[in-house]
Amino acid sequence: MFKKILIANRGEIACRVMRTAKKMGIATVAVYSDADARSPFVLMADEAVHIGPSPAAESYLLADKIIAACKATGAEAVHPGYGFLSERTSFAQELADNGIAFIGPPVGAIAAMGDKIESKKLAQKAGVNVVPGFVGEIDDTEHAVRIANDIGYPVMMKASAGGGGKGMRLAYSEADVREGFEATKREGLASFGDDRVFIEKFILNPRHIEIQILGDQHGNILYLNERECSIQRRHQKVVEEAPSPFVTPKMRKAMGEQCVALARAVGYYSAGTVELIVSGADATGESFYFLEMNTRLQVEHPVTEAITGLDLVEQMIRVAYGEKLPFGQDDVKLDGWAIENRVYAEDPYRGFLPSTGRLVRYSPSPTSKPGDGAYVRVDDGVIEGGEVSRFYDPMIAKLITWAPTRLEAIDKQVEALDSFEIEGPGHNIDFLSAIMQHDRFRSGNITTGFIAEEYPEGFHGAPASPELLRALAGIAAFAATAEADRARRVDGQLGKRLRPPADWHVKIGETEHDVSISTDGFVIDGEDLDLALEYTPGDRLIEAELDGAPLVVKLLRTRYGFKLTARGAAHDVRVLPAHVAPLAQHMIEKIPPDLSKFLLSPMPGLLVALNVGAGDKVEAGQPLAVVEAMKMENILRAGKTGVVKSVEATAGDSLAVDQVILELE
């Protein structure tokens, strides 16, 4: 077995590979950029080598620096993780030329299947169904427009070397193609070093199914069941699960065998994933189309590990060393149900804008190990006090739950998300919890359009039931009582003889509740509430029981009460003693300033383009600027008609959140 391997990646996947390597007794080497100098994966490795500045193009995407690090440390093999150089044919070839093993598929398979255009041509020759489209070179925007018009709208523009939702644009009209084609090329070049783009028909109401492949160098290739990856936003996966609630045993066998045949045609070994698309209108599920093959480990591989009991990273390492797979197709298990949620540094309350900054608080959900009953797994690569950088992907962590049934795994996700604490950058924990609680998701009736269809006006928090609001009112009143009692005992603020109020008036959004607390329990709006909890002033999490069921609530003190977060929504709660509450109506409301005349940067990022200058007239909806953050370009549009009064930034500037770019008269 290898004595030492280098992980040519960063963040959670670098940590993930290192955990398995250490379990196998293999020493590990990390490579890192300036931005990652103090990251957990660097500290976890046995050795670490600095390879350059923060931008990936100047560090993680430079094969020569990776190879130099291998030679300097004596690493015998390289695991590329996902993204970066993981599907770069030239990188795998350079490793081979230098006598360094690549923990992945052979060069020929990467060349054949890693290129989205060539893989479609190969699939067509092999008799595999492919999505209708143009699988040749596209010269320029005008050529792209002609192709899209011929195919028929809607169409999808994709970077040939793309993946992970990067370098993809959906076009419903010629105007969308003209606006998005060049941006797709730039994203492909920035993220993958390849600006080629192909265009294909966009299948309406599609489900995204993928088959996990695993092969060895002795001709054995297996499929490890399927994953459902239909919950996506901007073509980037958000929720994955295994197995799929849509796929039948007959479909699984047909898909699996076809994907194995495709892999065998290119002499594939190691782990790989064949992505398929099935129309949600096809009740039989028999009309599935090949999308692409990812010749690497997928982000969502933990759900496959959970239902099969396999360690895919270990299998990749053993296959790269030349070992045979120790099991056959009939030995592949399908045990229970697993769900993975991707915790992103993005703010769903602000249109899912990328968010960067320091993790002031980071406390992931408590984990448990496989055994009896449901369990929780967290794959991450950050620590409290660390920085979420604008240079890399916005994923903070992956939260995985396993349970015997799908609904149990979903409920375990809701419970785990409630106890997942992040402060500093914005995050999507509330949004993930809302999806887990959504009736349509729980029914399994999902497509890739789920998020756009169910949240057309954006996300504003999961709806709270009257029962939950009453419970939050009780929790807020109890916390206020505890803090008032502390003030009396410690600070003497209420006087030694004056007891905290027993009656409170609680306002949550537009709902108001009268709460009475006594030794007998809680009375909310005149009715008893079966609520049990403990709270000590300063606690950030309250673990309660509502009608005997667990309820975890995050608590943050505010000027007039608390911010309580539970079950996918943050609630601003005003808590006042019952005898004081009537006076609140006399308080003057502060009116926020009008910022509509300013174009503000909605996130920290790089101002890539500024389309107007002082004195220019603009119309509502007109593109004014392009800001790049976390490898994605974001077009900023005019909110109203006006004339540009002044320009406060220039292309190439690094912008802070809410920084003024220009002002309208």
Side-chain angles (χ1 to χ4, degrees):
M1 181 47 65
F2 300 120
K3 297 290 192 299
K4 183 185 292 186
I5 66 173
L6 181 146
I7 296 86
N9 218 296
R10 62 175 300 279
E12 68 87 14
I13 189 59
C15 293
R16 162 71 188 93
V17 174
M18 289 178 194
R19 282 193 292 270
T20 288
K22 289 179 181 293
K23 181 182 69 175
M24 298 174 68
I26 301 171
T28 58
V29 179
V31 290
Y32 65 93
S33 69
D34 290 346
D36 284 332
R38 297 178 180 83
S39 293
F41 77 93
V42 177
L43 302 176
M44 182 183 293
D46 296 297
E47 299 175 68
V49 179
H50 177 252
I51 55 170
S54 300
E58 301 175 39
S59 51
Y60 296 107
L61 286 171
L62 296 180
D64 58 338
K65 291 194 174 185
I66 304 296
I67 292 172
C70 288
K71 292 180 177 179
T73 59
E76 306 160 76
V78 170
H79 195 299
Y82 50 74
F84 293 143
L85 297 172
S86 62
E87 294 180 285
R88 188 76 62 83
T89 307
S90 58
F91 177 57
Q93 185 62 60
E94 287 181 59
L95 289 174
D97 293 344
N98 283 274
I100 302 168
F102 181 65
I103 303 176
V107 173
I110 300 174
M113 303 307 294
D115 186 304
K116 306 302 186 291
I117 294 175
E118 294 304 316
S119 67
K120 285 182 178 294
K121 292 179 180 178
L122 181 63
Q124 284 178 325
K125 290 180 181 178
V128 178
N129 284 345
V130 298
V131 179
F134 184 83
V135 290
E137 296 286 340
I138 300 176
D139 301 327
D140 52 28
T141 299
E142 293 303 322
H143 189 197
V145 167
R146 293 196 298 273
I147 290 169
N149 289 338
D150 290 342
I151 295 172
Y153 296 98
V155 298
M156 181 71 75
M157 297 176 288
K158 292 184 179 180
S160 178
K166 303 294 189 301
M168 299 176 68
R169 287 287 193 283
L170 181 59
Y172 287 94
S173 66
E174 180 177 317
D176 291 343
V177 176
R178 292 187 182 279
E179 184 175 285
F181 180 73
E182 289 299 329
T184 304
K185 292 187 66 171
R186 287 193 298 269
E187 287 182 2
L189 185 62
S191 296
F192 310 103
D194 187 339
D195 68 352
R196 290 177 301 151
V197 174
F198 68 94
I199 299 177
E200 64 186 12
K201 181 71 176 176
F202 181 70
I203 304 297
L204 296 174
N205 300 316
R207 297 185 77 116
H208 187 117
I209 309 294
E210 56 188 37
I211 300 292
Q212 176 69 59
I213 295 294
L214 181 65
D216 62 24
Q217 299 185 49
H218 305 276
N220 302 304
I221 306 178
L222 314 175
Y223 64 91
L224 307 182
N225 306 313
E226 82 284 350
R227 295 185 289 258
E228 171 94 46
C229 305
S230 296
I231 304 298
Q232 303 178 8
R233 194 189 68 77
R234 291 183 68 174
H235 319 299
Q236 188 171 51
K237 299 165 190 172
V238 178
V239 181
E240 300 101 353
E241 58 183 305
S244 163
F246 178 73
V247 173
T248 64
K250 179 182 176 182
M251 292 165 57
R252 180 176 299 118
K253 187 172 187 293
M255 289 177 172
E257 290 178 350
Q258 184 168 330
C259 293
V260 166
L262 183 61
R264 194 177 300 281
V266 294
Y268 199 89
Y269 58 78
S270 192
T273 295
V274 180
E275 299 197 357
L276 307 168
I277 194 167
V278 184
S279 173
D282 182 3
T284 67
E286 295 179 356
S287 298
F288 53 86
Y289 300 94
F290 169 78
L291 277 180
E292 60 190 35
M293 184 173 187
N294 294 304
T295 55
R296 54 171 167 79
L297 190 67
Q298 292 280 94
V299 176
E300 56 272 22
H301 75 274
V303 293
T304 296
E305 293 182 325
I307 65 167
T308 62
L310 297 171
D311 183 329
L312 290 180
V313 173
E314 178 181 350
Q315 295 303 322
M316 291 180 74
I317 294 173
R318 293 190 181 281
V319 166
Y321 192 68
E323 295 184 10
K324 288 185 178 181
L325 293 178
F327 52 88
Q329 189 64 60
D330 293 340
D331 301 314
V332 176
K333 298 189 301 180
L334 200 168
D335 179 27
W337 216 284
I339 294 178
E340 174 180 295
N341 274 306
R342 300 190 187 189
V343 179
Y344 283 124
E346 61 183 16
D347 191 346
Y349 293 100
R350 299 183 65 195
F352 297 93
L353 292 173
S355 183
T356 60
R358 191 163 302 282
L359 286 162
V360 177
R361 187 176 305 285
Y362 178 74
S363 178
S365 311
T367 59
S368 46
K369 294 183 178 180
D372 296 330
Y375 67 85
V376 176
R377 166 179 167 179
V378 177
D379 281 13
D380 59 16
V382 300
I383 55 173
E384 190 167 283
E387 189 87 9
V388 177
S389 169
R390 69 178 177 86
F391 295 104
Y392 311 117
D393 188 87
M395 190 169 66
I396 296 174
K398 301 184 303 195
L399 177 66
I400 305 101
T401 57
W402 178 93
T405 68
R406 184 172 186 267
L407 286 180
E408 288 176 299
I410 292 172
D411 289 340
K412 195 68 176 176
Q413 278 282 345
V414 175
E415 181 183 336
L417 287 164
D418 274 347
S419 61
F420 206 125
E421 293 185 87
I422 297 176
E423 293 180 20
H427 57 79
N428 66 338
I429 289 175
D430 285 353
F431 181 61
L432 297 174
S433 181
I435 292 175
M436 296 296 101
Q437 299 173 72
H438 200 290
D439 289 341
R440 180 178 165 190
F441 176 79
R442 295 173 74 86
S443 74
N445 179 27
I446 54 179
T447 68
T448 57
F450 174 89
I451 291 176
E453 293 161 6
E454 299 301 328
Y455 302 96
E457 303 301 322
F459 179 71
H460 307 289
S465 66
E467 181 184 35
L468 177 60
L469 291 175
R470 293 175 70 241
L472 294 178
I475 289 172
F478 187 88
T481 301
E483 296 204 352
D485 188 55
R486 179 186 179 280
R488 176 187 67 84
R489 290 184 292 104
V490 178
D491 301 329
Q493 293 176 9
L494 301 180
K496 293 183 178 180
R497 296 183 181 180
L498 186 61
R499 297 289 178 183
D503 298 321
W504 299 86
H505 185 79
V506 180
K507 184 176 182 181
I508 307 176
E510 299 302 317
T511 66
E512 300 186 38
H513 304 274
D514 294 313
V515 182
S516 295
I517 302 175
S518 68
T519 55
D520 295 327
F522 294 85
V523 177
I524 313 290
D525 301 326
E527 297 181 6
D528 291 336
L529 181 69
D530 183 6
L531 177 67
L533 72 146
E534 292 183 1
Y535 172 74
T536 300
D539 286 351
R540 304 186 308 273
L541 284 181
I542 295 179
E543 296 183 1
E545 285 190 359
L546 177 61
D547 295 328
L551 173 65
V552 179
V553 179
K554 300 184 187 77
L555 179 145
L556 179 66
R557 195 72 169 89
T558 61
R559 185 174 182 182
Y560 295 112
F562 304 95
K563 181 178 181 180
L564 300 182
T565 304
R567 294 294 190 265
H571 303 273
D572 288 317
V573 183
R574 189 189 71 185
V575 189
L576 296 173
H579 67 282
V580 174
L583 303 177
Q585 62 182 311
H586 301 295
M587 296 294 291
I588 298 175
E589 184 177 352
K590 184 177 181 180
I591 300 175
D594 179 17
L595 299 176
S596 62
K597 65 179 181 178
F598 297 103
L599 179 68
L600 306 177
S601 178
M603 73 209 83
L606 180 69
L607 183 59
V608 176
L610 188 62
N611 303 329
V612 294
D616 290 352
K617 184 178 180 180
V618 300
E619 301 292 336
Q622 178 182 335
L624 301 181
V626 178
V627 176
E628 180 188 278
M630 294 180 171
K631 301 190 290 184
M632 298 289 283
E633 290 190 356
N634 303 272
I635 300 174
L636 307 185
R637 302 177 185 274
K640 63 179 183 180
T641 299
V643 176
V644 178
K645 179 180 179 181
S646 64
V647 175
E648 307 297 332
T650 58
D653 286 354
S654 292
L655 303 175
V657 64
D658 291 333
Q659 182 173 333
V660 176
I661 299 174
L662 59 83
E663 181 181 357
L664 299 177
E665 292 181 350

